Amino acid sequence: MPDADKTRLGRTVVQPAGHTLPIGRYSPAIAVPFDGSRSLVFVSGQVSSDAEGRVIGAGDAALQTETVFRLLAEVLKEAGGSLSDLVSVVVYLADMGDFAAVSAVRNQVLAEAGAAPSSTLVEVSSLAVADHLVEISGVAVVHGRG
C-alpha cells in the first residue's frame, strides 16, 4: 500500500507484512492519535486464515480462536501495542455451541496478556466464509503512537 494511502486525516492504516489482505474496501486496523502520546487502534474482525486466505483449523473453534488472537496480536504489534492494550473486544460466533471452547481460549489468552477488556460475545447467522467459526474485533489504546 503506498504511503499516501496509509495516512489520511491523521489516521494511519495498520497492515502487518504477511497478513491476509482485506477482501473488501476496509483496513485491518486504523490508528488514530488522540492526545500526543497515545492512539486508539480500531482492529477489524480477524478470522482464522493464513496469508493466502486459507482457513486454519476448520471445524476446531478453540484452534481458530487461538489463531485469531495471534493475528490480533500481530496487528496490534504493527501498531506499536499488544493484547495488553485492548480496551474492548467483540467476539462473533457462528454457533453458540462453541461458546465454552472459545471462552476458555479467550480467557486464557487475555489473562496471559494481563488484559481485561470490555467484551461482547454474540452468535451470528454466519460469517463471510462458511468454515470460519469465530471472528474477533477489538479496540486498543496504544502508548507512544500519538
Side-chain angles (χ1 to χ4, degrees):
M1 174 177 297
D3 285 341
D5 291 340
K6 289 185 86 168
T7 303
R8 182 171 180 236
L9 301 174
R11 300 174 292 179
T12 301
V13 173
V14 179
Q15 172 68 56
H19 211 71
T20 304
L21 294 175
I23 58 173
R25 182 89 177 119
Y26 67 93
S27 301
I30 298 290
V32 181
F34 71 91
D35 74 355
S37 66
R38 297 179 290 177
S39 289
L40 286 172
V41 179
F42 299 88
V43 183
S44 294
Q46 301 294 301
V47 292
S48 185
S49 293
D50 64 16
E52 286 76 41
R54 294 180 296 246
V55 175
I56 298 170
D60 187 337
L63 177 58
Q64 285 196 20
T65 304
E66 291 169 6
T67 303
V68 168
F69 272 108
R70 179 181 53 78
L71 295 172
L72 187 60
E74 288 176 7
V75 172
L76 290 171
K77 182 178 180 183
E78 182 71 17
S82 69
L83 292 174
S84 66
D85 297 314
L86 284 168
V87 295
S88 178
V89 293
V90 179
V91 180
Y92 303 93
L93 292 182
D95 181 352
M96 196 56 82
D98 292 327
F99 172 81
V102 170
S103 185
V105 172
R106 176 188 60 186
N107 293 342
Q108 177 183 352
V109 168
L110 294 177
E112 289 171 0
S118 68
S119 181
T120 300
L121 185 145
V122 297
E123 181 181 43
V124 295
S125 62
S126 67
L127 295 170
V129 173
D131 285 337
H132 286 142
L133 304 174
V134 60
E135 181 170 337
I136 302 173
S137 63
V139 178
V141 176
V142 174
H143 295 271
R145 185 138 178 142

